[in-house]
Amino acid sequence: QVQFVESGGGLIQPGGSLRLSCAASGITFSAFYIAWYRQHTGKEREFVGYISTGRSTNYADSVKGRFTISRDDGNNMVYLEMNNLKPEDTAVYYCNKLGASDSWGQGTQVTVSS
């Protein structure tokens, strides 16, 4: 059974930084591109970025230059380093296989507010 567990969210002031973690189980982790997504209240889930099996990355324009994704295949972990956070980054953040339509975790809430 594929499972993703996100953690590390919280309340942070604008301009601050957070590091989110994603623990995966039930898959051959190193074989998959892993993505981060987020969902603003009342809106559809949106793509944030992904990391390939070769550790190349790609990001949505809204977070490019501020967010960094990394992975630790030995521990089935993916990380999202978020810097210079803005109020519009407030959302529930999820990780999953790139393009997945199921096996979503509970997400982790990030709130950027002064």
Side-chain angles (χ1 to χ4, degrees):
Q1 179 181 356
V2 179
Q3 187 175 18
F4 292 92
V5 179
E6 303 88 354
S7 62
L11 174 63
I12 189 77
Q13 291 189 343
S17 298
L18 273 179
R19 187 194 197 206
L20 306 184
S21 299
C22 165
S25 60
I27 61 171
T28 305
F29 183 76
S30 60
F32 290 94
Y33 285 37
I34 303 296
W36 283 94
Y37 302 85
R38 66 186 181 186
Q39 188 167 20
H40 300 96
T41 301
K43 296 192 174 182
E44 295 290 315
R45 190 177 286 130
E46 67 178 25
F47 169 79
V48 173
Y50 73 76
I51 185 164
S52 74
T53 54
R55 289 175 167 73
S56 62
T57 54
N58 188 46
Y59 301 95
D61 287 345
S62 58
V63 306
K64 200 171 294 182
R66 300 187 299 121
F67 289 12
T68 302
I69 299 174
S70 59
R71 64 190 297 163
D72 176 358
D73 288 345
N75 289 299
N76 287 12
M77 296 290 295
V78 175
Y79 304 97
L80 179 65
E81 186 77 32
M82 305 185 295
N83 297 309
N84 190 22
L85 282 160
K86 304 176 180 181
E88 52 263 41
D89 295 318
T90 295
V92 179
Y93 285 73
Y94 302 87
C95 61
N96 206 330
K97 294 182 291 183
L98 180 65
S101 59
D102 59 6
S103 301
W104 294 100
Q106 83 288 352
T108 186
Q109 174 72 49
V110 173
T111 302
V112 185
S113 175
S114 54

